[in-house]
Each structure stands twice: as structure tokens, then as C-alpha cells.
Amino acid sequence: MKRIAIFPGSFDPITKGHENILLRALPLFDEVIIAIGINSSKQSYFTLEQRENWIKQVFANEPKVRVETYTGLTINFCKKVGANYILRGLRTSTDFEFENLIAQNNKVMAPEIESVFMIPVSELSAINSTVVRDIIRNGGDPTPFIPASIKIEK
Ligand code: ADP
């Protein structure tokens, strides 16, 4: 059976933290689908098209990576695309508390799907999209926090 993982998130915008987790996870899977979740109650800062384009640019040379968007339950999206793994990053104890709950509930609903967690490398663990958005919103330079292959205009 092909090992297909999804890496779900908002990617608003993609950061070096996301890029690093994905690249380190890639050897474990045959295919990784970056799944941008569309949540009607959560307004994004960047448009879906923009977020998708940046991800495509970052992984343009990785044939095992593709980008999709989804609404609804993550496990239902997994079933739709034939994915058996959900990949998430664990930066802090807050991430752990949240992910632990979601993963256990997902396991009840879809026992065939495994949640897989990766710990960030220490130099990237403080990076998150919220901080990057704040920097951009306030006219700062986000370059140290976003993948080298993309440019986000201030
Ligand atoms: P969400 O709103 O679902 O948390 P994000 O786009 O913020 O979406 O994050 C998607 C995934 O990437 C999450 O599992 C998150 O923990 C992980 N992630 C985000 N930033 C980092 C980072 N700096 N290092 C490791 N993982 C990260």
C-alpha cells in the first residue's frame, strides 16, 4: 500500500518551519499532500490562491509533494484522497495538548488513519504564521522566517 500523508494547516503564509517539517517527513512517505484547510469561521490574511501558489513554488522540485484545499473533517479529506497518515508539527506543550485531543478523537472516528508528529529543529521552533503576519502587517521584513524560494511583498 502506498504511504500517503496529508500535512493539513492554514499556511497563512507558509514558513520555514512548515518547509522544514515537510522536507524531513518526505523520506517517510511515498506522497505528501499539503492540505490547506478552508475554515469559514476563520478569516485568512492571505488569499487561498496566494497561499497555494507560494506552497507550489517552495516544493516545485519535489515530485512527491502536491497541494490541495479542503473543507470539513480532516479524516474525511484523508479518505477522499486515500491518505493513511496525518502529519503535524509539535512546537510547544500547547500544540501537544491540542494535537493529542484531536488525534485521539480522529483515531476513534478513523482507526485506519495514523497521526504522525514531528518536533521542529530548535532554530525554527519559534516561527509561526501569526508572527510572520504581524511582521508583514507592520512593515517589517519577513525574509528570515519564510522559505528562501518565495518573496512576500510588504
Ligand atoms: P493550523 O492552523 O492547523 O495550526 P498552521 O499552518 O499554523 O495551521 O500549521 C500547520 C502545521 O504546521 C501544524 O501542525 C503546526 O504545528 C506545524 N508548524 C507550524 N509552524 C511550525 C514550526 N515552526 N515548526 C514545526 N511545525 C510547525
Side-chain angles (χ1 to χ4, degrees):
M1 193 167 70
K2 248 178 118 183
R3 284 163 306 166
I4 303 174
I6 72 157
F7 184 32
S10 319
F11 305 97
D12 189 24
I14 184 167
T15 68
K16 275 188 179 168
H18 294 126
E19 181 187 33
N20 181 262
I21 290 287
L22 199 286
L23 291 176
R24 285 165 52 216
L26 214 45
L28 305 175
F29 302 107
D30 297 307
E31 192 182 324
V32 178
I33 301 167
I34 300 185
I36 308 178
I38 305 166
N39 184 341
S40 49
S41 62
K42 201 170 151 189
Q43 177 68 38
S44 67
Y45 184 72
F46 292 105
T47 65
L48 186 58
E49 193 189 8
Q50 186 66 87
R51 287 179 280 155
E52 208 173 346
N53 283 341
W54 281 322
I55 295 171
K56 282 183 183 158
Q57 276 178 50
V58 173
F59 299 107
N61 296 322
E62 297 292 348
K64 293 203 302 188
V65 179
R66 66 172 213 263
V67 193
E68 295 222 10
T69 58
Y70 76 104
T71 52
L73 291 179
T74 303
I75 51 161
N76 287 346
F77 180 68
C78 284
K79 289 177 187 171
K80 188 176 154 206
V81 295
N84 18 32
Y85 300 93
I86 298 174
L87 173 67
R88 296 283 288 173
L90 283 186
R91 290 160 293 184
T92 59
S93 52
T94 313
D95 273 357
F96 173 77
E97 296 296 338
F98 180 72
E99 297 297 338
N100 185 26
L101 202 118
I102 303 281
Q104 292 196 40
N105 290 323
N106 280 345
K107 197 73 189 154
V108 172
M109 294 186 288
E112 71 282 12
I113 298 172
E114 290 295 349
S115 295
V116 177
F117 301 100
M118 294 200 64
I119 303 289
V121 291
S122 55
E123 62 270 29
L124 299 179
S125 69
I127 299 179
N128 69 55
S129 298
T130 309
V131 172
V132 172
R133 286 197 300 276
D134 277 346
I135 292 169
I136 294 166
R137 204 180 273 128
N138 292 295
D141 179 9
T143 308
F145 309 108
I146 59 172
S149 49
I150 60 169
K151 245 194 169 56
I152 298 183
E153 296 304 330
K154 282 180 251 171

